[in-house]
Amino acid sequence: MNGMDTLLIARGTKEVHLLPRMANRHGLIAGATGTGKTVSLRVLAEGFSDMGVPVFLSDVKGDLTGVAVPGGGNKKIEERIAALGLEGFQYEGYPVVFWDVFGERGHPVRTTVSEMGPLLLSRILNLNDTQSGVLSLVFRIADDNGLLLLDLKDLRAMAAFVGDNADRFKVEYGNVSRASVGAIQRNLLVLEEQGGDRFFGEPALSMEDLLQTDSRGRGTINILLADRLIRSPKVYATFLLWLLSELFEMLPEVGDPPKPKMVFFFDEAHLLFEDVSSALEEKIEQVVRLIRSKGVGVYFVTQNPLDLADPVLGQLGNRVQHALRAFTPRDQRAVRAAAETFRPNPAVNVTEAITELAVGEALLSMLDGKGAPEPVERAFVLPPRSSLTPLSPEEIRAIVRDSVLHGFYEKTVDRESAYEKLKERAEATARQEAEEAASRARAKEPKRDLFSAAAKSAAHAIGSQIGRQIIRGILGSFFGGKK
Ligand SMILES: Nc1ncnc2c1ncn2[C@@H]1O[C@H](COP(=O)(O)OP(=O)(O)OP(=O)(O)O)[C@@H](O)[C@H]1O
Ligand SMILES: [Mg+2]
């Protein structure tokens, strides 16, 4: 298949095609639970891969790993192939790369604290506005002092350093509330307990590694194994948002290319907008709007389209709407809203159809060659070519082991950054203090302020073995000398 072909995704009274050069105008896959969203996502992902477009998607339920192997032996799928008259339909396995934030089952995916930035980190850390202001200060002070923030221990050491030296920083940076520093540190601990420490560090994910094709020219399907990550919904959503913004920053402007550079599927997309600050919501809207010109299509997958922020929803040109329930008033609003967004087709009663659609059936409207939505069609989404049966842990492991990427992200690197530098500085200060204390002891001077702020912050913030040893050394010589 070449890039100019269209992508057949559904068949009803008419065929529904997605135009590759409109695929960067984003899309929506919506519908109640069990109505066929994930299969529709899969059919799109397979189609993009076939046309050489790499794809990134998250597997929230563990039902997408089978994309790597050909389907077959599923009676329902066979029935659908026959019903849709898909002659020459072939089962296919796709080139898959597995990623895992926790590094347990897929290639570890990491970023650095400074690449994530204070705005996104604030959300992950559940910080309020005041606290997130202080976090931004911590970043600035680190920058101004040439201290790298790579992993969580860098950030923890840096926050402690800023908190302990708040008075010193007050003149230049303004008030640093100790309560806010405390909150940042507590939340950093929670994040670490959830395994977040594994996600921050080096080697950081290089976006080029997501943009690969296989020997047959098919785009790789990058699958983020996210069934554990989704249990921290904010981290999940913020992580994917970060990934999008990194892609945005790395890719050159291309306008509307004949086919997208990459397609990104955002599953459980409603999580993106759950209690976000207005600053972040604006950023989300912006990233989604601007990434189009980098040739990246973003497809949001969600149960209820009303859960997406309006300015984002308005940008989703290619739509697959599966069945919605209409039990509650809110459901009914969703049905009306979904119906209103479609360009009418006299042959389709949208409000009626939307609650009656069978599994794998949908109301669809794609953008035409001019970027205007086609009239809505009611149609059956194609069956997937790959297997619906999830892979076993061993099968996943084998794919990870055989991947060309294997070995690179698996090794962590811990280069000198804020933590190490602050530790060094604290150790030097502590050593100096120890010497001074010893000489004062010799001179029988009264002891004042034995521990400077730096030495104290070294002891409890960094908690390093050597730091403690030095402090113990001072105390030892001090009390020891008295005895
Ligand atoms: N296009 C299709 N062709 C054939 N079978 C389909 C199709 N779409 C869905 N099905 C069948 O319906 C089942 C449920 O679909 P799917 O997992 O996509 O639902 P979902 O909307 O993602 O559900 P959930 O909200 O629980 O994630 C599939 O496992 C498959 O058996
Ligand atoms: Mg699903």
Side-chain angles (χ1 to χ4, degrees):
M1 195 189 258
N2 70 50
M4 294 308 169
D5 285 337
T6 62
L7 203 161
L8 173 66
I9 53 179
R11 239 179 210 178
T13 39
K14 285 191 188 151
E15 288 189 340
V16 180
H17 294 264
L18 177 66
L19 295 182
R21 74 192 165 81
M22 288 296 149
N24 67 332
R25 306 282 186 101
H26 305 328
L28 173 71
I29 301 174
T33 177
T35 54
K37 297 183 296 298
T38 302
V39 171
S40 293
L41 175 160
R42 189 193 276 254
V43 169
L44 284 174
E46 291 175 357
F48 285 124
S49 173
D50 282 332
M51 60 171 80
V53 175
V55 164
F56 184 93
L57 47 89
S58 51
D59 189 1
V60 167
K61 288 203 174 157
D63 57 357
L64 279 166
T65 54
V67 168
V69 297
N74 182 323
K75 199 151 165 275
K76 279 197 182 151
I77 299 294
E78 281 161 15
E79 279 166 17
R80 176 147 312 189
I81 294 169
L84 297 187
L86 300 169
E87 282 135 41
F89 183 92
Q90 272 182 349
Y91 293 115
E92 281 282 0
Y94 284 79
V96 162
V97 176
F98 290 113
W99 300 96
D100 181 358
V101 164
F102 300 104
E104 283 164 358
R105 293 178 302 148
H107 303 292
V109 30
R110 269 184 230 97
T111 184
T112 62
V113 165
S114 50
E115 272 177 74
M116 177 66 80
L119 185 61
L120 293 183
L121 256 169
S122 291
R123 181 162 190 236
I124 291 186
L125 294 174
N126 280 311
L127 303 183
N128 66 27
D129 286 353
T130 315
Q131 295 158 352
S132 97
V134 170
L135 185 65
S136 299
L137 270 187
V138 170
F139 271 71
R140 257 182 54 205
I141 295 172
D143 273 357
D144 293 352
N145 289 281
L147 294 167
L148 285 174
L149 299 176
L150 301 179
D151 50 26
L152 288 186
K153 66 183 191 313
D154 288 333
L155 186 55
R156 207 145 41 83
M158 195 63 213
F161 178 68
V162 170
D164 289 342
N165 295 281
D167 298 340
R168 233 180 79 199
F169 292 122
K170 196 170 175 175
V171 187
E172 203 180 334
Y173 297 91
N175 224 359
V176 180
S177 117
R178 275 168 216 267
S180 293
V181 171
I184 292 171
Q185 286 175 305
R186 272 194 308 280
N187 292 320
L188 276 171
L189 274 181
V190 174
L191 183 60
E192 274 175 51
E193 275 157 20
Q194 290 174 348
D197 50 331
R198 267 179 274 177
F199 168 55
F200 291 99
E202 291 185 312
L205 175 66
S206 150
M207 294 297 135
E208 284 87 359
D209 285 337
L210 300 179
L211 299 169
Q212 302 302 309
T213 46
D214 74 351
S215 54
R216 282 167 53 188
R218 296 180 303 172
T220 34
I221 299 185
N222 296 280
I223 299 184
L224 179 73
L225 299 168
D227 43 349
R228 178 171 165 204
L229 183 60
I230 196 74
R231 281 183 258 153
S232 312
K234 277 189 188 167
V235 182
Y236 166 82
T238 315
F239 167 69
L240 289 189
L241 182 62
W242 162 78
L243 204 57
L244 258 192
S245 58
E246 284 293 301
L247 269 176
F248 172 74
E249 269 159 42
M250 169 239 161
L251 289 169
E253 254 345 275
V254 288
D256 280 326
K259 63 180 183 183
K261 294 279 170 234
M262 184 188 215
V263 172
F264 195 98
F265 290 92
F266 215 124
D267 205 352
E268 302 289 350
H270 63 281
L271 295 176
L272 201 50
F273 304 98
E274 246 163 45
D275 35 62
V276 288
S277 64
S278 56
L280 188 54
E281 185 172 318
E282 228 167 83
K283 187 171 154 103
I284 297 171
E285 193 258 316
Q286 213 177 14
V287 169
V288 172
R289 180 159 41 81
L290 296 175
I291 205 165
R292 218 180 89 180
S293 64
K294 306 284 177 109
V296 177
V298 187
Y299 289 67
F300 291 80
V301 184
T302 188
Q303 293 197 11
N304 189 339
L306 289 181
D307 291 337
L308 306 184
D310 273 342
V312 169
L313 195 57
Q315 297 182 47
L316 312 181
N318 301 294
R319 296 190 172 206
V320 181
Q321 175 67 62
H322 288 286
L324 286 174
R325 316 273 167 249
F327 303 140
T328 67
R330 185 163 192 277
D331 291 344
Q332 286 149 19
R333 264 204 313 283
V335 168
R336 273 197 306 277
E340 278 162 17
T341 57
F342 283 116
R343 180 172 156 201
N345 175 349
V348 182
N349 181 339
V350 170
T351 352
E352 227 173 75
I354 210 163
T355 57
E356 304 168 355
L357 294 165
V359 172
E361 192 184 14
L363 293 166
L364 304 99
S365 167
M366 302 294 133
L367 294 179
D368 66 18
K370 294 197 183 77
E374 301 260 22
V376 61
E377 285 295 330
R378 179 174 178 166
F380 282 95
V381 175
L382 264 49
R385 297 181 190 278
S386 56
S387 170
L388 286 176
T389 313
L391 298 185
S392 69
E394 293 73 40
E395 287 169 314
I396 294 178
R397 224 173 292 137
I399 290 176
V400 171
R401 235 185 359 246
D402 290 346
S403 149
V404 290
L405 292 173
H406 184 71
F408 179 67
Y409 291 107
E410 277 72 10
K411 284 194 211 80
T412 46
V413 186
D414 194 2
R415 69 178 158 126
E416 191 179 74
S417 49
Y419 169 80
E420 287 81 8
K421 286 240 172 100
L422 288 172
K423 194 169 95 175
E424 229 169 67
R425 188 189 300 197
E427 281 162 14
T429 316
R431 224 175 282 123
Q432 197 189 337
E433 302 259 343
E435 278 160 22
E436 282 169 16
S439 76
R440 273 199 303 271
R442 275 195 297 278
K444 294 215 162 52
E445 273 178 13
K447 308 294 163 304
R448 285 166 324 196
D449 191 24
L450 183 60
F451 301 108
S452 73
K456 258 192 238 164
S457 80
H460 59 78
I462 297 172
S464 86
Q465 205 52 35
I466 308 166
R468 272 196 217 112
Q469 277 163 6
I470 291 173
I471 302 291
R472 272 201 300 273
I474 302 169
L475 291 175
S477 74
F478 182 59
F479 290 112
K482 272 217 154 173
K483 269 180 197 165

